[in-house]
Amino acid sequence: MTSQPNTGSEPASQDMSPQEIQAVIDRILAKDGPARNVSTPGGEGGSGKAVLGKAQAISRLDEEHSTYDGDQQDLEERRALRRRAGLSTELEDVTEVEYRQLRLERVVLAGLWSEGTLADAENSLRELAALAETAGSEVLDGLVQRRDKPDPGTFLGSGKAQELKDIVMSTGADTVVVDAELAPSQRRGLEDIVKVKVIDRTALILDIFAQHAKSREGKAQVELAQLEYLLPRLRGWGESMSRQAGGQVGGAAAGMGSRGPGETKIELDRRRIRTRMAKLRREIAAMKPARETKRANRRRNEVPSVAIAGYTNAGKSSLLNRLTDAGVLVENALFATLDPTVRKAETADGLGYTLADTVGFVRSLPTQLVEAFRSTLEEVADSDLILHVVDVSHPDPEGQIAAVRKVFSEVDARKVPEIIVLNKADAADPFVVERLKQREPRHVVVSARTGEGIPELLKAISESIPRPSVKMELLIPYDRGDLLSKLHESDAEILSLDHVEAGTRAAVMVREGLASELEPFVVND
């Protein structure tokens, strides 16, 4: 991390070394990779600090996949069409036409440090950088401003917004991403100053979800969240609007008969969005019974359910593949998988249960996504056990745990038993692992990539899921092999089995639903 003292409003170029000036030139010419950052002077509202380094929310792993992840055909399909860096917006060669829409956006990040420590603010900005890279952009620079509260007009304040404009011009960026949710007026005010597109954290997350949604339900949920975000941010101007114009208006002296019906175009857009949102809600509600029916079947058969939840890119899908050979998509990116995947598994003693992979969480998860994905998040609330996966190689694992538990509270899942799974132990600092072990009493240290700690995790799952509670001594006639077959299924636990002249004598632990069916065969001796 680097910082510069407040030097007023002097241009940043006066404090730049020849090497830094050359780096700026290289970035403008798009000859280098992800750019090195330039220290910027402080300005109005507090000191500015340029954030260096690649986003730490994306792991540094030598190998992205293990043999348990399968062929990863979905990932190959996702990566079949790659974005290209360094393409000019002005076509110099006709062969560039096919790549023009795939050009990487060049972005500059901006955030506020209003509470917590500087390390917290920088970690948040690095996570924003990881989100931007996942969305398909090239991060050129990042700026953190020390400020008690956001400016109501431009979020950063007029002086710091002008400095941001200078950074945008020097780096050749075409987009500014702000590490907060902007009010519509703040976004317009900042765009008017920096003269490039400005988006906020919420819009960036929604864009990633739109890219990665594959199922019909997932696409409907993402579209609903996007429309809820867009509705209060519609803008209208120009000749497409018919405005009220009574009396002697301006210099036209239009007078009577000139009164228009108002901004009909923007009102029509709002009506269309509300109509589309109502249709999407009906479609999502119509999909809900199918998911509820599957859960009802598991509850009726009393099959224990285990939900894998946690922060995005913590290794949830990799853990599911390691435990069940599910072969679901695994990518070193944020929100790589959105659609829940349910697989069957068994304990070492033959007791069956289900494992469900869920969508990842993130700090300041947009409320639109929580509401739109509520039917998916019900998998967590309705489970018998939560495997809370934590990336212990991350700079702030405690912050990740707090953010995930906040979402658990929003979906009424805080009462479900929880095991903290400290994943990526092979890449973590042993001191951090020990610190989390002291903080979380129910924990297992694992590495989904190397297999470290997986036997301990399976043992913890076996001890934590609901088990058959009714003990019975049975004598089953040899002509009732169907009952003996049920005892070998996942809803019973056989303690002893002996074949005698009258039939099969068994001591079993069964669930209440099966106990009533076996009542006629109980022996009392």
Side-chain angles (χ1 to χ4, degrees):
M1 300 303 154
T2 62
S3 63
Q4 291 283 351
N6 193 336
T7 59
S9 58
E10 296 178 5
S13 60
Q14 294 182 6
D15 295 329
M16 293 170 59
S17 66
Q19 293 81 5
E20 291 172 327
I21 294 175
Q22 184 61 42
V24 172
I25 295 174
D26 290 341
R27 285 202 298 271
I28 295 175
L29 297 178
K31 291 180 179 178
D32 61 347
R36 296 177 296 277
N37 300 48
V38 181
S39 300
T40 58
E44 176 186 349
S47 61
K49 298 181 182 294
V51 178
L52 299 174
K54 192 176 175 67
Q56 294 184 22
I58 296 180
S59 304
R60 271 52 162 198
L61 299 177
D62 296 333
E63 297 179 9
E64 190 174 15
H65 301 104
S66 69
T67 56
Y68 292 86
D69 292 325
D71 295 335
Q72 291 292 308
Q73 295 180 355
D74 291 339
L75 183 59
E76 291 182 7
E77 178 184 353
R78 176 178 293 181
R79 293 179 173 177
L81 191 61
R82 304 287 291 180
R83 287 180 169 86
R84 296 284 297 272
L87 288 176
S88 171
T89 55
E90 298 297 331
L91 297 182
E92 299 176 356
D93 187 345
V94 70
T95 59
E96 293 185 9
V97 173
E98 60 180 310
Y99 298 117
R100 192 171 187 180
Q101 298 300 323
L102 299 176
R103 176 178 169 269
L104 285 170
E105 286 188 86
R106 300 161 63 83
V107 305
V108 171
L109 312 179
L112 286 187
W113 171 24
S114 56
E115 58 184 14
T117 65
L118 176 60
D120 294 335
E122 292 176 345
N123 283 334
S124 180
L125 203 67
R126 286 197 178 96
E127 182 176 89
L128 185 70
L131 289 168
E133 291 170 7
T134 301
S137 63
E138 181 185 8
V139 178
L140 303 179
D141 215 333
L143 184 70
V144 175
Q145 182 194 14
R146 181 70 166 123
R147 191 183 181 96
D148 292 336
K149 58 182 180 180
D151 181 78
T154 60
F155 184 76
L156 296 175
S158 57
K160 190 60 65 177
Q162 189 63 43
E163 290 183 20
L164 182 61
K165 177 184 177 182
D166 295 339
I167 295 174
V168 168
M169 293 180 64
S170 66
T171 57
D174 49 35
T175 305
V176 171
V177 184
V178 178
D179 192 19
E181 183 168 344
L182 296 178
S185 59
Q186 290 174 324
R187 178 182 172 185
R188 286 196 298 270
L190 195 56
E191 279 185 344
D192 290 341
I193 295 176
V194 300
K195 305 301 182 182
V196 296
K197 180 175 66 174
V198 175
I199 64 173
D200 58 16
R201 181 186 180 94
T202 300
L204 183 60
I205 293 175
L206 290 173
D207 182 77
I208 295 172
F209 272 60
Q211 291 182 43
H212 292 177
K214 292 191 64 176
S215 68
R216 179 167 169 260
E217 183 177 10
K219 291 179 180 178
Q221 290 168 330
V222 172
E223 184 181 355
L224 176 60
Q226 287 178 313
L227 292 177
E228 287 180 348
Y229 173 81
L230 176 64
L231 185 59
R233 292 170 172 80
L234 283 180
R235 298 161 63 177
W237 59 84
E239 295 180 356
S240 62
M241 304 300 149
S242 177
R243 301 179 182 276
Q244 295 280 354
Q248 302 296 321
V249 180
M256 293 181 295
S258 64
R259 294 178 177 85
E263 293 189 332
T264 55
K265 178 66 166 56
I266 194 169
E267 288 301 327
L268 181 60
D269 290 342
R270 286 173 179 157
R271 192 177 306 114
R272 285 174 173 169
I273 288 177
R274 292 190 185 101
T275 302
R276 179 60 179 167
M277 288 169 60
K279 182 179 179 181
L280 288 171
R281 288 194 179 100
R282 289 194 299 269
E283 290 179 358
I284 294 173
M287 300 172 197
K288 188 176 180 180
R291 191 180 299 280
E292 289 183 340
T293 300
K294 294 177 183 178
R295 284 201 294 265
N297 288 336
R298 294 198 294 266
R299 284 195 294 267
R300 183 169 57 252
N301 295 327
E302 299 185 82
V303 179
S305 60
V306 179
I308 303 176
Y311 212 79
T312 181
N313 206 42
K316 299 181 297 299
S317 298
S318 298
L319 186 63
L320 179 68
N321 289 343
R322 171 68 70 166
L323 295 176
T324 65
D325 293 326
V328 299
L329 184 145
V330 171
E331 185 178 12
N332 188 21
L334 278 63
F335 299 113
T337 52
L338 302 182
D339 301 315
T341 303
V342 181
R343 291 292 185 269
K344 183 178 179 181
E346 283 189 357
T347 63
D349 55 358
L351 184 65
Y353 61 94
T354 60
L355 273 171
D357 183 19
T358 60
V359 63
F361 305 141
V362 74
R363 287 184 186 88
S364 305
L365 187 67
T367 55
Q368 299 95 332
L369 285 175
V370 175
E371 291 302 318
F373 278 78
R374 186 166 292 275
S375 60
T376 299
L377 296 176
E378 286 174 357
E379 292 283 353
V380 178
D382 291 344
S383 62
D384 297 303
L385 176 67
I386 296 176
L387 299 183
H388 183 168
V389 184
V390 180
D391 178 7
V392 287
S393 66
H394 190 271
D396 185 22
E398 289 91 351
Q400 289 191 348
I401 294 174
V404 171
R405 284 176 173 166
K406 182 179 178 181
V407 180
F408 285 171
S409 299
E410 294 179 12
V411 296
D412 301 324
R414 289 293 287 128
K415 295 182 179 179
V416 181
E418 175 187 25
I419 296 178
I420 296 292
V421 182
L422 303 176
N423 191 28
K424 303 185 184 180
D426 56 318
D429 183 352
F431 175 77
V432 176
V433 175
E434 189 62 32
R435 186 180 71 206
L436 289 171
K437 287 168 64 177
Q438 296 295 330
R439 175 174 172 169
E440 301 293 341
R442 297 192 67 189
H443 65 266
V444 181
V445 181
V446 305
S447 171
R449 188 165 66 98
T450 65
E452 174 189 350
I454 295 299
E456 290 79 2
L457 177 60
L458 291 172
K459 181 180 179 182
I461 295 174
S462 178
E463 294 173 350
S464 302
I465 60 176
R467 305 186 74 87
S469 56
V470 181
K471 186 174 182 178
M472 306 183 77
E473 295 283 345
L474 305 173
L475 181 61
I476 301 176
Y478 287 120
D479 59 351
R480 292 304 307 270
D482 57 319
L483 293 178
L484 194 61
S485 176
K486 284 186 177 181
L487 293 178
H488 283 87
E489 293 179 355
S490 59
D491 54 355
E493 184 177 355
I494 299 177
L495 303 178
S496 65
L497 202 65
D498 188 23
H499 299 287
V500 297
E501 183 178 354
T504 302
R505 194 179 183 94
V508 295
M509 298 289 293
V510 297
R511 305 190 188 278
E512 294 181 357
L514 184 59
S516 59
E517 186 177 354
L518 297 174
E519 192 67 33
F521 305 98
V522 173
V523 293
N524 298 313
D525 50 16

